[in-house]
């Protein structure tokens, strides 16, 4: 029994055929699911980005402010709206807003820089349901190509303080 | 030899000081599941859109407390009881260093209470993950550190007892499988707690103002080295408990101990390393690194679970067939002791961990799939399948064994006890499945207001997802009732249960 010491020489007992079969199937399955990640990485169309840089929250805030001032075309719900050309674009999570609101063009490629000026925030795009982390001290670069026009919302899905549930943002694709 | 009594049911010599420690740790665990369960009820009533009970600040505060009371206190106090049981009792041995074991208990209790009080008075609204730069009061971190030191001491006492048993030759040959599994859990615990110290001590100093800056990405990496591996203690302990319950309730004997033990070794070797599926969509790591960590290492640990997934049910089937239930493929299953709450809780646990928790865990741990699951309610549904439908259910099942064996009381309200696992199981499965369902629409976790009434943009969540929240709520309430039945039966057994002579 499992609660008493095993019989002598338990380690010499041969593994029976059924057990061998099951373990083999399980092993093959595990190898298969392990192989999927690299496979997907090379042949799939959507992978988490591996591009990131160290940046202090203060510096990132300044970069975003400069970017916002340069491309600002309006304001919505008190949040600046920017209409930048394809290339490097920036978004920051700050307690409790995602700023600026980005106007993008479908079919063009952007390098979206994502970081935080204070706490750790969760960057969740609704309704597509894509999720990345905005971590202070790190500039996370996501290369994106919007393929559908419309309004996309950003939800913060990492607890970042008392107003966490009010933290939203927007991306407009035309 | 007055320190020992002989168990009339099993003939085992039971060390009385060990017995007392098992009792006190188990009772404390049950007090914490009561606290956590109360919080669970309030959280669930807030998440049901039609009720939305708590104000936002209390929601986040109670969510933090729910995490600490359940995931840390309930689970680890119970594991301390398991470690003492599988060492001193199963090995017929005295517990090494009884005073240290009491010190460990004091540290754990003091630490847990300190953290809980800090949370309740509003000094630590930071969730149990406490990601910096979000900062709690320094006493909160100190509480967690004291708890962890206590837990390390528990592991030391466990290994000390194994050494004493070996030295005093209280058992013959090798360790029983259950003790071996518990030892695997204790090894993982020590590694994990070391990680915890590496990250919590500087964070505590930071809250005290001694250190200026905690690197947020580094914290997340090391925290999950601690946080996720600590879940593997639970997996390991849960599997050991499956073997234990199967042996006690139907006399199951594992087909091949070499296979089972190798599987436990696989846990020790690989599961500890595979913790980066929490940070798959974080900046800071290359894809190759993530794939290696969460692919290779995690899946070798998955292999171990697959082995146990055959070994435990096959041992049960063989034992029941030996009892004469040999007709067809499934007579043994029909004639299984379903009325025994230990047995039924174990079956719920195996099924819940395997089908709900394990499969979703492996799926969400894939780098690309993680993009659509990370920090949504899918994750919350996943870990309520593993740590609640799996670990918590197996511990409930073990409680029904420990009550007569160690507390020497007949289980009170046996009818209620008989239904308890089924009520809790149905509730938790419903709740977890519909958490995952609404999460698949992008429903965020740790979120007070899914209607976004105070936000800049009120995001129109899919009606189906909102509907799922109500079904989740029904499941959650059933689960709370099932949990309440468990606490009621346990406490009633202690207070008014008939003594077993
Ligand atoms: C009666 C059963 C239970 C119910 C109804 C319940 C309900 C909930 C709810 C509604 C949440 C909030 C999810 C969110 O909004 O993000 C939650 C979170 C959580 N629960 Fe439970 N729960 C139960 C039992 C347990 C148990 C037994 C454990 C652990 C052993 C547990 C561990 C957790 C953890 C770790 C969290 C996450 C806390 C965080 O995000 O910081 N729960 N639970
Ligand atoms: Cu946020
Ligand atoms: Cu947030």
């Amino acid at each position: 029994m499992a609660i008493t010491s095993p019989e002598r020489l338990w380690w010499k007992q041969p593994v029976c055929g059924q057990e061998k079969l099951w373990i083999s199937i399980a092993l093959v399955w595990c190898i298969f699911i392990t192989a999927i990640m690299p496979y997907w990485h090379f042949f799939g169309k959507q992978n988490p980005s591996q591009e990131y840089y160290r940046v202090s929250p203060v510096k990132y805030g300044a970069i975003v402010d400069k970017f916002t001032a340069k491309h600002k075309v309006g304001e919505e719900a008190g949040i600046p709206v920017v209409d930048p050309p394809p290339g490097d674009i920036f978004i920051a999570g700050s307690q409790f807003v995602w700023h600026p609101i980005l106007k993008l063009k479908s079919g063009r490629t952007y390098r979206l820089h994502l970081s935080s000026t204070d706490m750790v925030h969760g960057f969740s795009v609704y309704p597509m349901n894509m999720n990345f982390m905005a971590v202070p001290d790190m500039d996370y670069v996501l290369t994106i190509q919007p393929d559908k026009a419309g309004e996309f919302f950003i939800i913060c899905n990492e607890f970042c303080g008392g107003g966490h549930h009010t933290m939203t943002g927007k991306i407009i694709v035309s | 030899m007055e320190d020992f009594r002989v168990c009339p049911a099993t003939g085992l010599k039971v060390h009385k000081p060990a017995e007392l420690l098992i009792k006190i740790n188990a009772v404390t665990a049950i007090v914490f599941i009561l606290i956590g369960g109360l919080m669970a009820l309030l959280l669930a009533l807030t998440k049901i859109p039609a009720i939305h009970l708590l104000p936002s600040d209390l929601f986040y505060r109670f969510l933090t407390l729910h995490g600490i009371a359940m995931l840390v206190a309930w689970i680890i106090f119970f594991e301390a009881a398991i470690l003492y049981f599988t060492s001193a009792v199963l090995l017929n041995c005295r517990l090494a260093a009884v005073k240290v074991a009491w010190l460990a208990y004091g540290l754990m209790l003091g630490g847990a209470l300190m953290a809980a009080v800090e949370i309740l008075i509003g000094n630590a609204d930071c969730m149990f993950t406490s990601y910096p730069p979000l900062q709690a009061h320094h006493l909160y971190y100190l509480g967690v550190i004291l708890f962890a030191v206590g837990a390390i001491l528990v592991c030391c006492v466990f290994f000390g007892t194994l050494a004493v048993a070996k030295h005093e030759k209280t058992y013959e040959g090798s360790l029983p499988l259950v003790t071996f599994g518990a030892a695997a859990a204790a090894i993982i615990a020590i590694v994990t707690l070391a990680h915890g110290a590496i990250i919590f001590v500087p964070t505590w100093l930071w809250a005290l103002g001694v250190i200026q800056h905690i690197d947020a990405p580094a914290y997340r990496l090391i925290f999950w080295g601690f946080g996720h591996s600590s879940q593997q203690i639970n997996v390991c302990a849960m599997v050991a408990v499956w073997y234990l319950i199967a042996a006690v309730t139907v006399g199951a004997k594992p087909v091949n101990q070499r296979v089972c033990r190798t599987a436990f070794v696989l846990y020790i070797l690989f599961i500890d390393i595979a913790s980066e599926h929490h940070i798959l969509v974080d900046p800071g790591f290359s894809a190759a690194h993530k794939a290696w960590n969460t692919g290779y290492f995690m899946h070798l640990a998955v292999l171990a679970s697959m082995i146990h997934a055959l070994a435990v049910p096959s041992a049960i089937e063989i034992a029941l067939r030996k009892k004469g239930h040999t007709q067809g493929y499934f007579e043994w299953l029909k004639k299984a002791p379903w009325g025994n709450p230990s047995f039924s809780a174990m079956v719920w646990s195996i099924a819940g961990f395997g089908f709900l928790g394990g499969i979703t865990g492996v799926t969400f741990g894939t780098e690309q799939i993680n993009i659509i699951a990370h920090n949504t309610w899918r994750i919350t549904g996943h870990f309520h399948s593993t740590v609640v439908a799996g670990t918590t259910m197996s511990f409930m099942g073990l409680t029904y064994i420990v009550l007569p064996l160690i507390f020497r009381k007949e289980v009170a309200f046996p009818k209620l006890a008989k239904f308890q696992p089924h009520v809790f199981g149905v509730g938790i499965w419903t709740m977890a499945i519909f958490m995952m369902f609404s999460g698949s629409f992008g429903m965020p976790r740790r979120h007070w207001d899914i209607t976004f009434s105070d936000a800049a943009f009120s995001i129109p969540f899919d009606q189906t997802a909102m509907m799922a929240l109500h079904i989740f709520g029904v499941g959650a309430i059933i689960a709370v009732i099932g949990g309440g039945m468990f606490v009621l039966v346990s406490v009633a057994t202690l207070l008014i249960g008939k003594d077993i002579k």
Side-chain angles (χ1 to χ4, degrees), chain A residues 96 120-122 156-161 163-165 167:
Chain A
F96 298 102
V120 175
H121 299 280
C156 178
N157 69 4
E158 183 52 81
F159 179 73
C160 54
H164 159 62
H165 49 275
M167 181 159 169

Side-chain angles (χ1 to χ4, degrees), chain B residues 331-349:
Chain B
E331 198 204 7
W332 63 275
L333 202 57
K334 258 190 259 154
K335 295 280 170 65
W338 292 105
N340 180 338
S342 289
F343 181 83
S344 59
M346 173 195 65
V347 174
W348 274 104
S349 168

Side-chain angles (χ1 to χ4, degrees), chain B residues 143-462:
Chain B
V144 176
I145 293 169
L146 291 180
F147 186 91
V149 172
I152 290 186
L153 289 180
V154 171
C155 296
C156 296
V157 172
F158 171 80
F159 286 114
T161 307
L162 295 194
V164 170
K166 179 126 207 119
H167 184 248
E168 296 180 358
K169 298 202 170 56
T170 60
Y171 66 99
E172 264 172 51
S174 307
L175 288 177
L177 179 61
V178 172
T179 311
F180 187 83
I187 292 172
I188 298 176
I190 288 179
V191 176
T192 296
L193 292 162
H195 270 256
I198 293 174
I199 200 60
F200 265 84
V201 171
T203 310
W204 172 54
L205 294 175
W206 168 66
L208 276 170
V210 179
I211 291 179
Q212 290 313 313
H213 183 71
I214 294 283
D215 188 65
Y219 177 95
R220 288 175 60 78
L221 175 65
I222 306 173
F223 180 88
W224 284 116
F226 161 60
H228 196 81
S229 312
S230 72
Q231 298 321 301
Q232 314 309 348
I233 313 171
N234 305 341
V235 174
C236 227
M238 170 187 73
V239 174
V241 169
W242 291 346
Y243 284 111
L244 200 166
I245 295 180
V248 173
T249 54
V250 297
K253 215 171 141 229
V255 176
N256 191 314
Q257 294 242 351
R258 188 155 54 119
V259 171
C260 304
R261 284 168 201 250
T262 310
F264 276 119
V265 173
L266 283 180
Y267 276 151
I268 303 176
L269 291 181
F270 296 109
I271 217 160
D272 239 359
I273 313 172
S275 54
E276 282 174 22
H277 49 284
H278 285 262
I279 43 181
L280 283 173
V281 293
D282 269 35
F285 310 93
S286 70
H289 178 87
K290 287 173 182 170
W292 177 250
N293 180 285
T294 60
Y296 179 71
F297 291 136
M298 188 163 91
H299 296 146
L300 278 174
V302 169
L303 180 64
S305 293
M306 299 278 278
I307 293 175
H308 294 304
L310 176 74
V312 180
S314 64
I316 294 170
E317 176 178 349
I318 291 168
L320 286 168
R321 279 181 186 273
K322 268 203 190 127
K323 293 198 167 132
H325 310 307
T326 50
Q327 264 167 29
Y329 284 125
F330 292 118
E331 198 204 7
W332 63 275
L333 202 57
K334 258 190 259 154
K335 295 280 170 65
W338 292 105
N340 180 338
S342 289
F343 181 83
S344 59
M346 173 195 65
V347 174
W348 274 104
S349 168
I350 296 174
F353 183 83
F355 290 106
L356 275 190
I359 292 178
T360 56
V362 172
T363 314
F364 301 161
T366 305
E367 201 191 10
Q368 297 85 353
I369 296 176
N370 191 256
I371 299 177
I372 59 170
H374 182 75
N375 269 5
T376 68
W377 248 27
R378 269 192 178 165
I379 302 301
T380 326
H382 153 70
F383 65 71
H384 280 89
S385 313
T386 52
V387 84
V388 190
T391 308
T392 297
M393 281 225 84
S394 74
F395 289 3
M396 286 173 167
L398 181 58
T399 305
Y400 295 119
I401 290 177
V402 166
L403 286 174
L405 220 58
I406 297 293
F407 288 87
R408 279 181 284 165
K409 298 268 193 190
E410 271 175 34
V411 174
F413 309 133
K415 280 245 172 63
L416 204 62
K418 192 170 144 184
F419 287 109
Q420 187 274 329
H422 301 293
V423 177
F424 191 72
V426 168
I428 276 296
W429 278 59
T430 311
M431 156 177 156
I433 289 171
F434 282 91
M435 273 177 161
M436 291 193 256
F437 184 79
S438 55
S440 65
F441 291 87
M443 188 82 74
R445 72 182 279 198
R446 299 176 161 175
H447 203 281
W448 175 70
D449 179 19
I450 213 65
T451 61
F452 297 91
S453 51
D454 302 329
F457 306 107
S458 54
I459 296 160
F461 247 100
D462 196 287

Side-chain angles (χ1 to χ4, degrees), chain B residues 64-78:
Chain B
T64 310
L65 184 58
H66 175 70
I68 289 282
M70 290 296 209
L71 195 63
V72 178
W74 144 250
I75 294 279
I76 299 184
F77 273 112
F78 204 91

Side-chain angles (χ1 to χ4, degrees), chain A residues 53-66:
Chain A
Y53 305 97
R54 283 253 155 207
V55 63
S56 81
V58 176
K59 185 148 171 238
Y60 191 76
I63 293 172
V64 174
D65 288 347
K66 206 168 130 206

